[in-house]
Amino acid sequence: MSAPPRAELVVDLDALRHNVRLLRAEVGEGVAMMTVVKADGYGHGMLEVARAAREAGADWLGVATLDEAATLRAAGDSGPLLAWLTTPGEDRAPAVVADVDLSASSTGELAEIADAATRAGKPARVHLKVDTGLSRGGATGAEWPALLAAAVHAAREGRVEVTGLWSHFAASDEPAHRANDVQEQRFRDAVAAAESAGLHPRVRHLANSAAALLRPTSRFDLVRCGIASYGLDPAPGQPGTARLDLRPVMTARATLALVKEVAAGEGVSYGHTWLAPHRTVLGLVPVGYGDGVPRHASNRAEVGVAGARRPVRGRVCMDQFVVELGPGDPTAAGADVTLFGAAPHPSAQDWAEACETISYEIVTRIGGRFVRRHVNRHDQGARSS
Ligand SMILES: *Cc1c(COP(=O)(O)O)cnc(C)c1O
């Protein structure tokens, strides 16, 4: 008999495929689907997620960095792929050679891309990014005409092909936020200005998961879905997303290392921030902030043990934390503990709320010494891949 692993992230690729198909069905025909796999697939494993997303019909993949794009190409992915975060001086030529679409937010960035295209010996595929109100990437409204003019010029020289126009929302998870209307209108204006300048790229895109689901007018030609692909609610508390059958892809589990009974009044973990109010049974979970378990979960989050929720007691340490199993609880060391996953266990969203953050951060930061295991549940007994 082999012991269950100390700590695992079980990634259900069937759930990922289900979510991608569900999102495709929601946004409808005529809207292309980009699955966003940056940051190691939001902590789920970029290559495995990318492959499963393509299998489920993702037309595009989206990443932040050139390294991420290069890793996908080296693994054999040859489909449409957009990378949108670079710094001055980075060599974009390999990305041009590999048919990676690049984003340009400024004339300086566009010039670097055009230079890379010259060196690569073929036109670069470029999405011009307009800042419609996030004040992060993108050209401001004041800078947009100059970026368009530079793109028209570089296109005439055959150094770039403008394949997309795009922007990103600031508050799409709050559909009633006034920024959404303002940003969508600014985007329409920016697209119109590009068309007047003679640019007619096929792919205009603005929506992330929340906007794709909650704001149909923002879908344009393509939606960029990250968090919803991983089965997490992109707009917690909004009825439009809670009704969907999104399935959590990641389960973070561990094996209870030790179980013990303590007397009333005993302090638990560093600083004794929790004192047992009664004689009770504690369980030791062998993961901690060194594995990306937020220390902020101390005395706040819950885990699932044998179908029941059990509270974290005291501080989360580097390698371990303590949960209260309860007075007289019969659970033994070696039992399975689910930090978060699918119902009835706590969700990544539950952990996010306990830790005053968002589910994105919970799944993306978890890692460390957790071992990741990809499973395909339609195969008998959840084969690893
Ligand atoms: C991460 C990211 C997305 C995906 O957002 P979700 O809310 O996870 O769907 C889309 N577009 C850009 C520019 C991003 O950085």
Side-chain angles (χ1 to χ4, degrees):
M1 192 196 94
S2 69
R6 182 184 60 84
E8 286 185 305
L9 302 177
V10 183
V11 176
D12 180 353
L13 295 174
D14 276 339
L16 188 284
R17 283 185 283 258
H18 163 87
N19 297 331
V20 172
R21 287 194 200 103
L22 181 149
L23 291 166
R24 282 204 66 104
E26 281 293 318
V27 301
E29 294 293 320
V31 178
M33 173 62 57
M34 175 188 288
T35 301
V36 180
V37 300
K38 65 191 180 189
D40 205 11
Y42 288 41
H44 295 67
M46 180 176 70
L47 293 179
E48 292 86 351
V49 165
R51 202 174 304 124
R54 292 285 197 203
E55 286 163 6
D59 307 287
W60 285 77
L61 297 177
V63 294
T65 70
L66 296 182
D67 281 348
E68 291 171 326
T71 301
L72 284 166
R73 288 298 192 235
D77 186 277
S78 59
L81 168 61
L82 174 64
W84 54 68
L85 191 63
T86 53
T87 51
E90 268 193 85
D91 186 4
R92 291 142 172 98
V96 175
V97 169
D99 286 326
V100 177
D101 285 50
L102 298 170
S103 172
S105 289
S106 68
T107 52
E109 193 170 13
L110 186 70
E112 291 208 34
I113 292 170
D115 172 64
T118 302
R119 285 181 288 116
K122 70 185 214 191
R125 299 170 53 88
V126 179
H127 296 223
L128 302 177
K129 185 169 194 185
V130 58
D131 180 0
T132 50
L134 179 60
S135 300
R136 205 176 68 177
T140 63
E143 295 163 339
W144 187 239
L147 182 57
L148 291 177
V152 167
H153 183 73
R156 281 206 194 105
E157 293 178 332
R159 299 208 290 165
V160 308
E161 180 190 350
V162 179
T163 48
L165 299 172
W166 74 301
S167 190
H168 191 43
F169 278 120
S172 59
D173 58 338
E174 300 171 57
H177 197 295
R178 53 182 290 281
N180 294 303
D181 287 342
V182 171
Q183 288 196 263
E184 189 180 311
Q185 187 54 49
R186 286 180 177 172
F187 186 64
R188 290 181 188 282
D189 294 345
V191 168
E195 287 171 352
S196 302
L199 297 170
H200 301 274
R202 279 196 303 277
V203 202
R204 298 158 300 170
H205 52 112
L206 176 59
N208 66 343
S209 296
L213 293 170
L214 299 176
R215 195 175 172 90
T217 55
S218 72
R219 289 173 187 156
F220 293 92
D221 306 308
L222 170 142
V223 293
R224 305 184 303 269
C225 291
I227 198 72
S229 315
Y230 302 99
L232 299 173
D233 189 340
Q238 299 294 337
T241 53
R243 76 187 159 83
L244 297 171
D245 177 30
L246 290 170
R247 300 185 187 161
V249 175
M250 180 190 289
T251 299
R253 64 153 300 277
T255 302
L256 265 191
L258 186 69
V259 170
K260 68 172 69 168
E261 190 167 60
V262 293
E266 290 296 329
V268 172
S269 195
Y270 291 132
H272 283 181
T273 59
W274 189 78
L275 302 177
H278 42 234
R279 172 172 290 275
T280 190
V281 177
L282 304 177
L284 183 65
V285 184
V287 287
Y289 62 78
D291 307 292
V293 177
R295 189 167 176 275
H296 214 61
S298 302
N299 287 314
R300 291 165 165 261
E302 293 180 328
V303 301
V305 182
R309 301 232 178 158
R310 303 297 186 209
V312 176
R313 296 301 195 197
R315 287 194 181 138
V316 172
C317 311
M318 188 181 291
D319 317 306
Q320 44 196 311
F321 67 90
V322 175
V323 295
E324 185 183 8
L325 297 170
D329 188 89
T331 303
D336 192 61
V337 179
T338 300
L339 283 73
F340 55 83
H345 299 301
S347 63
Q349 179 59 30
D350 292 330
W351 270 68
E353 286 168 20
C355 298
E356 296 174 50
T357 183
I358 52 177
S359 62
Y360 299 69
E361 187 181 2
I362 297 295
V363 292
T364 304
R365 80 187 315 195
I366 198 114
R369 293 158 287 181
F370 277 93
V371 174
R372 211 156 42 199
R373 178 162 61 96
H374 293 91
V375 299
N376 295 278
R377 292 193 189 279
H378 60 230
D379 302 336
Q380 71 321 17
R383 129 178 104 78
S384 298
S385 70

